[in-house]
Amino acid sequence: KQEVTQIPAALSVPEGENLVLNCSFTDSAIYNLQWFRQDPGKGLTSLLLIQSSQREQTSGRLNASLDKSSGRSTLYIAASQPGDSATYLCAVRGLGNTGKLIFGQGTTLQVKP
Amino acid sequence: EPEVTQTPSHQVTQMGQEVILRCVPISNHLYFYWYRQILGQKVEFLVSFYNNEISEKSEIFDDQFSVERPDGSNFTLKIRSTKLEDSAMYFCAGDLTRSGANVLTFGAGSRLTVL
């Protein structure tokens, strides 16, 4: 059974720092991995989608990497801003005819001005 | 940019009452999902729906739950007799394909509080 774990659970950094959020998954047989942002009491906003054949994806100050064989993904945020404060979730989609995502518990990020 | 719209944003109900949560997916999406997030816990898959039938469901999705897309636009989640433990944020999501080549798009969620 696929398990997704994110560390750290919470992170507080001063504005301007570069930071890395970690995601690990137990079953490397995935179709893709998606990173989401969730603001308090709000929905999920997709940030980056990495297919299993890809190593990384970039969008602005965000870079996500995927090492499928070791069951790891990282989300790198460059030059963090207070507006980046949110919970970041990673989710994996398994192989086969399924659209189901398995989520990690998230990393809650606070960027202090 | 197209959005997935969910109503109501918040519903408070008494235990044992029926609740219907509604979702209007993006118009060209074909696959639809319900997820839930109990406060402080992970987002959990409930059910996927395609071509007017359930294609996959989790162990959470028992006989108290049902989904339908009655008019080709709205996608609903019904909880027949709510329990305290059904209190959660419920998210609707949609996708163009099942393959995962595209981003799964989520709605803003419906918060259900069962008293």
Side-chain angles (χ1 to χ4, degrees):
Chain A
K1 181 184 173 186
Q2 179 73 271
E3 294 285 340
V4 180
T5 303
Q6 292 185 245
I7 53 172
L11 184 61
S12 180
V13 301
E15 181 177 5
E17 270 203 11
N18 302 323
L19 57 101
V20 174
L21 308 181
N22 297 290
C23 172
S24 62
F25 44 96
T26 55
D27 185 352
S28 62
I30 65 168
Y31 193 90
N32 62 34
L33 183 145
Q34 201 165 341
W35 281 94
F36 293 89
R37 169 182 172 139
Q38 184 177 30
D39 291 286
K42 303 293 185 182
L44 307 176
T45 301
S46 181
L47 298 173
L48 290 164
L49 171 70
I50 310 178
Q51 302 296 346
S52 62
S53 59
Q54 297 175 322
R55 296 284 292 182
E56 65 178 306
Q57 282 286 333
T58 297
S59 176
R61 294 182 293 109
L62 305 180
N63 175 278
S65 68
L66 175 64
D67 183 344
K68 197 176 70 165
S69 61
S70 67
R72 294 179 190 170
S73 176
T74 62
L75 179 67
Y76 175 83
I77 303 176
S80 58
Q81 302 170 359
D84 295 330
S85 298
T87 296
Y88 292 81
L89 303 173
C90 74
V92 299
R93 188 183 296 218
L95 295 177
N97 205 17
T98 177
K100 179 172 69 176
L101 294 181
I102 307 296
F103 282 83
Q105 73 273 33
T107 293
T108 299
L109 172 65
Q110 182 184 31
V111 181
K112 297 178 180 176
Chain B
E1 189 170 328
E3 289 184 343
V4 176
T5 304
Q6 291 187 241
T7 56
S9 57
H10 187 194
Q11 181 158 355
V12 181
T13 190
Q14 295 292 324
M15 191 170 54
Q17 294 296 306
E18 177 183 281
V19 162
I20 298 176
L21 305 179
R22 292 182 169 81
C23 170
V24 179
I26 294 172
S27 60
N28 61 348
H29 280 181
L30 300 174
Y31 296 87
F32 310 106
Y33 306 86
W34 284 101
Y35 287 78
R36 80 172 185 189
Q37 185 179 32
I38 296 171
L39 187 64
Q41 297 187 22
K42 293 184 179 184
V43 176
E44 304 173 286
F45 168 79
L46 290 178
V47 65
S48 60
F49 189 84
Y50 170 68
N51 201 25
N52 279 322
E53 61 183 28
I54 290 172
S55 46
E56 190 175 4
K57 62 182 181 179
S58 73
E59 59 274 12
I60 302 168
F61 195 87
D62 61 20
D63 292 344
Q64 291 299 312
F65 292 91
S66 62
V67 289
E68 63 176 3
R69 197 170 182 229
D71 56 9
S73 60
N74 289 292
F75 177 48
T76 62
L77 174 69
K78 181 192 291 186
I79 309 174
R80 289 191 183 81
S81 178
T82 50
K83 305 170 189 172
L84 295 177
E85 54 265 36
D86 294 328
S87 295
M89 184 76 105
Y90 289 81
F91 295 108
C92 172
D95 200 347
L96 272 171
T97 67
R98 197 177 209 177
S99 68
N102 303 294
V103 165
L104 194 61
T105 304
F106 282 78
S110 292
R111 180 170 299 282
L112 176 65
T113 302
V114 182
L115 302 177

